[in-house]
């Protein structure tokens, strides 16, 4: 049996995860038009750790005793990186060419909340959004997607580290009893 590279396995799984993330993002974006999509979006967000667990578990089983913590962790990081590349491309296309006013529309909606909930985080966000509109500081779709990618890769790395640790402990128990 040959051992598949964690980079290759992560990239293969990242393709499917990118499609998953795309559905998650678009169900969230379109939930303002179709209310049931907000439930789908919530379920997809909550299930991200479960999906990653199943990808990593399949790779761990395939590796058997040859599997290591770093291999699984790297697989998870590559899954998130490749998945976000795919979903990010889809988001840029949507925000740049399909609905070019999406970003400014979202900022206007947040700014419209000004004065609705004093002494809260909503009021602070509304103030920031108002200031952005006044100063004409509107992030581009690429800016937003790059930030989302960095956030997803960072949090995905932490999730992958946790799951890799779980698999390492299980492997150790199987081998050493």
């Amino acid at each position: 049996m040959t051992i598949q590279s964690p980079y290759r396995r992560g990239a293969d799984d990242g393709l499917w995860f990118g499609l998953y993330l795309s559905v998650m993002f678009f169900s969230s974006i379109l939930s303002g038009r179709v209310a049931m999509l907000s439930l789908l979006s919530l379920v997809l967000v909550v299930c991200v750790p479960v999906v990653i667990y199943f990808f990593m578990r399949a790779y761990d089983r395939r590796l058997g005793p040859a599997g290591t913590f770093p291999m699984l962790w790297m697989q998870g990081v590559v899954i998130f990186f490749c998945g976000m590349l795919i979903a990010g491309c889809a988001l840029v296309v949507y925000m740049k060419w399909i609905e070019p006013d999406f970003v400014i529309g979202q900022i206007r909606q947040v700014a419209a909340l000004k004065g609705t909930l004093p002494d809260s985080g909503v009021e602070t966000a509304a103030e920031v959004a108002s200031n952005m509109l006044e100063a004409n500081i509107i992030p581009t779709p690429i800016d937003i997607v790059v930030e989302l990618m960095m956030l997803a890769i960072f949090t995905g790395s932490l999730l992958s580290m946790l799951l890799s640790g779980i698999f390492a402990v299980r492997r150790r128990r199987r081998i050493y009893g």
Side-chain angles (χ1 to χ4, degrees):
M1 174 186 88
T2 61
I3 295 177
Q4 188 177 28
S5 161
Y7 303 103
R8 174 61 192 219
R9 183 61 186 253
D12 290 345
D13 293 339
L15 170 66
W16 297 109
F17 190 58
L19 297 174
Y20 179 92
L21 289 175
S22 297
V23 170
M24 183 178 81
F25 290 146
F26 286 115
S27 64
S28 176
I29 288 170
L30 299 174
S31 66
R33 297 179 190 147
V34 180
M36 284 301 291
L37 289 177
S38 62
L39 180 60
L40 173 63
S41 177
L42 177 64
V43 169
L44 291 172
V45 168
V46 170
C47 289
V48 165
V50 175
V51 170
I52 297 300
Y53 172 84
F54 282 116
F55 283 137
M56 292 178 74
R57 184 181 76 170
Y59 185 50
D60 181 58
R61 286 185 174 170
R62 176 145 192 211
L63 292 172
T68 64
F69 174 89
M71 289 175 77
L72 288 168
W73 186 16
M74 185 52 61
Q75 178 215 10
V77 171
V78 174
I79 289 171
F80 274 92
F81 181 79
C82 293
M84 275 307 298
L85 276 178
I86 292 166
C89 288
L91 283 172
V92 167
V93 167
Y94 179 81
M95 291 189 287
K96 197 166 185 156
W97 293 292
I98 296 173
E99 191 175 342
D101 294 331
F102 177 77
V103 175
I104 197 153
Q106 295 296 306
I107 294 172
R108 285 183 181 138
Q109 285 181 356
V110 173
L113 297 172
K114 196 172 184 179
T116 58
L117 294 169
D119 301 326
S120 72
V122 172
E123 184 66 29
T124 304
E127 184 68 33
V128 169
S130 293
N131 292 340
M132 288 173 69
L133 289 170
E134 287 173 16
N136 198 27
I137 302 173
I138 310 300
T140 66
I142 296 289
D143 295 335
I144 293 168
V145 168
V146 167
E147 291 293 328
L148 279 173
M149 285 181 70
M150 288 191 298
L151 175 66
I153 292 167
F154 174 73
T155 57
S157 175
L158 295 178
L159 175 62
S160 299
M161 185 187 305
L162 174 69
L163 292 174
S164 296
I166 290 169
F167 289 119
V169 168
R170 284 184 181 171
R171 186 178 309 104
R172 186 175 196 98
R173 285 184 184 159
R174 276 193 311 258
I175 293 172
Y176 299 110

